[in-house]
């Protein structure tokens, strides 16, 4: 009996201590991408920084590995995720309900917090494949990306611009980003595509494990895409960043954007943004793709979705907007 009373007392004391803290904490989950991409380690670093500031905002952050941008934004819109990283082009189309899937209703609750880093559209081909440019992909075995990924979306846009369909390739695969470098080096495919920040582990694997080259994505069709769409930019993958790829490669790209919705309270978003921007040196050190970022590059009113009011409040307070 005494021990029962004792354990009841212990439980009550425990509840008194745990109770108020547990109630006050807000849990947020960030949707990222495949584990060998940049979204995943970037999201993990962002969570680490948020969690290290827990006493100031009581926000506890976790990440989820996902299929990529399209999946992330769909999940955000239905409340399956609180925050996510997504490509600027995919965000634009999901917000406005435009793009390949036609006239879907836009997800107008989506909100941008800030831009992160550029994501060049990256094509890696086997050295023995005879592929030297994007045009050379015709007739080859190509991994066009899993449905739900940003690279699949970007690839479909380029294919459409070139007037290609999947039957223009001798084989099409839909592997996820984390699976494609192995398929390339196992000679299951001739080329892989990935819209990704650099350096990325996936591209490192593909260039270290076997003889491959990063090929350029240029020409009048690409120029026209860039000219017509604000979210596309010319992009360069620096020579020497990856094994056996000593020269700069020209391609085009999008931006990675940190996204949420109007459902995440302003106060929560304010706390998250403050943790990251008040500790900017630590933020820069989270991933090599972050190392040269400046606040000015990241804070932009003209992102593909409206700025979240919680982020705006912080940026205004700091005179950054
Ligand atoms: N841009 C890719 C996507 O939207 C993901 C890149 C990454 O995992 O870093 O699916």
């Amino acid at each position: 009996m005494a021990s029962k009373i004792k354990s009841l007392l212990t439980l009550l004391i425990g509840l008194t201590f745990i109770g108020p803290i547990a109630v006050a904490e807000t849990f947020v989950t960030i949707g990222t991408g495949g584990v060998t991409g940049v979204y995943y380690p970037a999201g993990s670093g962002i969570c680490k920084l948020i969690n290290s500031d827990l006493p100031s905002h009581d926000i506890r952050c976790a990440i989820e590995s996902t299929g990529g941008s399209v999946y992330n934004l769909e999940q955000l819109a239905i409340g399956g995720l609180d925050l996510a990283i997504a490509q600027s082009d995919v965000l634009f189309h999901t917000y406005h309900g435009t793009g390949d899937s036609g006239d879907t209703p836009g997800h107008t609750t989506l909100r941008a917090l800030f831009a992160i880093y550029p994501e060049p559209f990256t094509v890696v081909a086997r050295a023995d494949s005879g592929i030297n440019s994007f045009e050379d992909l015709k007739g080859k075995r190509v991994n066009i990306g899993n449905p739900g990924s940003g690279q699949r979306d970007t690839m479909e846009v380029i294919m459409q611009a070139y007037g290609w369909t999947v039957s223009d390739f001798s084989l099409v695969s839909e592997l996820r980003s984390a699976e494609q470098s192995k398929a390339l080096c196992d000679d299951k495919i001739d080329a892989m595509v990935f819209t990704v920040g650099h350096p990325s582990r996936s591209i490192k694997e593909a260039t270290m494990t076997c003889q491959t080259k990063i090929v350029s994505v240029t020409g009048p069709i690409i120029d026209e895409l860039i000219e017509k769409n604000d979210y596309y930019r010319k992009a360069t993958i620096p020579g020497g960043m990856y094994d056996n790829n000593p020269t700069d490669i020209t391609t085009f790209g999008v931006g990675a954007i940190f996204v949420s919705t109007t459902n995440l309270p302003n106060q929560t978003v304010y706390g998250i943004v403050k943790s990251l921007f008040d500790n900017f040196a630590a933020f820069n050190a989270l991933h090599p793709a972050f190392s040269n970022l400046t606040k000015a590059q990241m804070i932009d009113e003209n992102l593909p979705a409206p700025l979240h009011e919680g982020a705006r409040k912080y940026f205004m307070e700091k005179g950054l907007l």
Side-chain angles (χ1 to χ4, degrees), residues 127-198:
D128 60 11
S129 66
I131 298 169
N132 292 303
S133 69
F134 184 82
E135 285 85 345
D136 294 338
L137 292 181
K138 202 169 175 169
K140 303 289 184 185
R141 301 169 300 162
V142 181
N143 188 59
I144 60 170
N146 59 293
S149 71
Q151 56 272 16
R152 174 61 172 271
D153 230 44
T154 317
M155 184 64 181
E156 280 175 3
V157 169
I158 314 175
M159 283 167 58
Q160 203 173 24
Y162 273 86
W164 293 356
T165 67
V166 283
S167 52
D168 283 290
F169 303 114
S170 63
L171 180 141
V172 162
S173 59
E174 296 184 312
L175 299 174
R176 286 172 165 249
S177 59
E179 301 162 331
Q180 51 180 355
S181 60
K182 183 167 189 313
L184 188 70
C185 288
D186 286 350
D187 203 10
K188 301 262 171 29
I189 51 172
D190 296 309
M192 57 182 249
V193 305
F194 200 8
T195 315
V196 69
H198 293 288

Side-chain angles (χ1 to χ4, degrees), residues 32-34 36-41 67-70 72 85-87 90 117 119 146 148-151 177 194-197 200 254:
T32 61
T36 57
V38 179
Y39 288 5
Y40 185 81
S69 287
V70 174
N72 289 350
I85 308 179
Q87 290 180 201
V90 179
Y117 54 84
E119 291 191 277
N146 59 293
S149 71
Q151 56 272 16
S177 59
F194 200 8
T195 315
V196 69
S200 104
V254 294

Side-chain angles (χ1 to χ4, degrees), residues 25-30 42-63 82-85 113-114 258-259 264 267-279 282-283 286:
E25 258 182 24
T26 303
F27 288 87
V28 295
T29 304
I30 305 179
S44 156
I46 287 174
C47 269
K48 214 183 280 171
L49 218 50
I50 294 170
N51 290 339
S52 66
D53 225 6
L54 186 78
S56 78
H57 50 43
D58 288 327
I59 301 164
R60 194 179 286 280
C61 178
I63 53 165
D82 306 299
L83 294 145
I85 308 179
L113 273 61
F114 50 82
F258 199 43
V259 192
L264 197 62
Q267 194 194 343
T268 307
V269 171
Y270 177 91
I272 290 171
V273 171
K274 184 169 161 51
S275 289
L276 303 176
F277 283 77
D278 275 1
N279 300 296
F283 181 83
L286 289 176

Side-chain angles (χ1 to χ4, degrees), residues 11 14 23 46 59 65 75 88 108 112 116-118 182 184 198 204 207 211 220 259-260 269 281 283 298 308:
L11 184 72
V23 169
I46 287 174
I59 301 164
S65 172
Q75 284 299 310
S88 50
T108 52
I116 323 182
Y117 54 84
K182 183 167 189 313
L184 188 70
H198 293 288
K204 266 189 201 159
T207 48
Q211 289 297 313
V259 192
S260 185
V269 171
F283 181 83
M298 296 170 65
H308 196 290

